[in-house]
């Protein structure tokens, strides 16, 4: 039988032990505070592009790059394309990063101009799953409605594609932001660099239905003679039920793209350039959009 002092010590010891356990429970309870969840999945390219183009308007800030800035853009984009660094492109306000498109699982590098400034010089996406192949160009986002979605869809269908999207509404800065008709743009610098490497270009545009009521798509090779790739595209589109105006065979009401500066440069470089004009009805229909993209993909535009 324990003496009274020893019993008191045992009770006191038990109390201390219980207090320690309670403290540990409280501490452990604090440690069990809600943990951060898994990182949000990366946004698809269609979301990134839609967010980007939704900010564009005729009233936005824009200025043409100066000669030294265009020189920096040429060197900077080449370095990004060849994975030699992004410092020169970042000097022009671009943010450059790598990502993976959830829709395809393919890696890409994306460069985006700084938002809300006069250096609204574009979004450029390089598919890294294959060597550079086809240049997909959207010179009039937010003006030729839905052409940016065509651009993303076609980019996703062609491994190694490079997507070029202008960074300003074509009416910004009194029309000087119209990169399809202004050589003094980063868009043109990038397109020229890619054409200089022998890459084929397809440029996406839109027209109002009433301008050419009986036509769905106008195809033109710009300032060049139509080659096999343009003819294959026309054949595929026609086979899929689209009414096609072939600018090398007939007049298409001023939609032939012969004054397009990227087309002129491609003609000078001897590379393929396909100017694609789509009616509003075609651009508003997801099914018809898919049909155009499928036909252009099957035409294998990157093939000579």
């Amino acid at each position: 039988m324990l003496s009274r002092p020893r019993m008191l010590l045992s009770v006191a010891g038990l109390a201390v032990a219980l207090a320690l356990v309670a403290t540990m429970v409280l501490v452990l309870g604090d440690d069990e505070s809600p943990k951060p969840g898994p990182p949000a999945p990366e946004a698809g390219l269609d979301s990134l592009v839609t967010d980007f183009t939704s900010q564009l308007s005729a009233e936005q800030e824009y200025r043409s790059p100066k000669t030294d800035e265009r020189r920096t853009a040429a060197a900077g984009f080449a370095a990004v394309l060849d994975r030699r660094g992004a410092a020169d492109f970042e000097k022009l306000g671009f943010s450059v990063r790598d990502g993976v498109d959830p829709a395809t699982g393919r890696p890409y590098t994306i460069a985006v101009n700084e938002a809300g400034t006069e250096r609204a010089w574009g979004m450029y996406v390089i598919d890294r799953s294959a060597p550079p192949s086809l240049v997909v160009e959207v010179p009039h986002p937010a003006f030729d409605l839905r052409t940016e979605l065509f651009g993303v869809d076609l980019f996703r269908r062609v491994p190694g594609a490079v997507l070029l999207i202008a960074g300003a509404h074509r009416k910004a800065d009194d029309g000087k932001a119209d990169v399809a008709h202004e050589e003094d743009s980063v868009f043109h610098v990038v397109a020229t660099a890619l054409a200089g490497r022998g890459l084929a270009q397809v440029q996406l545009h839109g027209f109002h239905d009433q301008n050419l009521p009986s036509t769905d798509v106008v195809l033109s090779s710009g300032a060049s003679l139509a080659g096999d790739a343009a003819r294959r595209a026309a054949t595929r589109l026609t086979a899929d039920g689209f009414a096609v105006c072939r600018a090398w065979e007939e007049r298409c009401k001023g939609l032939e793209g012969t004054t397009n500066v990227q087309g002129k440069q491609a003609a000078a470089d001897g590379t393929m350039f396909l100017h694609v004009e789509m009616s509003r009805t075609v651009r508003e229909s997801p099914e018809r959009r898919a049909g155009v993209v499928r036909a252009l993909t099957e035409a294998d535009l990157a093939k000579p």
Side-chain angles (χ1 to χ4, degrees), residues 65-77 88 92 189:
K66 300 172 184 176
T67 301
D68 61 323
E69 291 171 323
R70 296 197 300 275
R71 192 178 301 117
T72 299
F77 180 78
D88 279 342
L92 300 175
V189 165

Side-chain angles (χ1 to χ4, degrees), residues 121-188:
W121 292 338
M123 171 186 278
Y124 306 96
V125 191
I126 304 164
D127 181 279
R128 295 297 193 182
S129 69
S133 56
L134 178 69
V135 186
V136 180
E137 300 173 356
V138 183
H140 299 149
F143 183 85
D144 290 351
L145 297 178
R146 311 287 186 272
T147 51
E148 63 274 7
L149 298 179
F150 274 92
V152 172
D153 289 350
L154 185 55
F155 172 86
R156 283 174 163 164
R157 293 287 295 268
V158 183
V162 184
L163 176 63
L164 281 55
I165 301 177
H169 190 283
R170 71 177 296 180
K171 296 293 186 181
D173 194 24
D174 294 326
K176 291 185 177 65
D178 182 356
V179 297
H181 297 96
E182 293 287 342
E183 293 182 347
D184 295 344
S185 72
V186 172
F187 185 99
H188 184 66

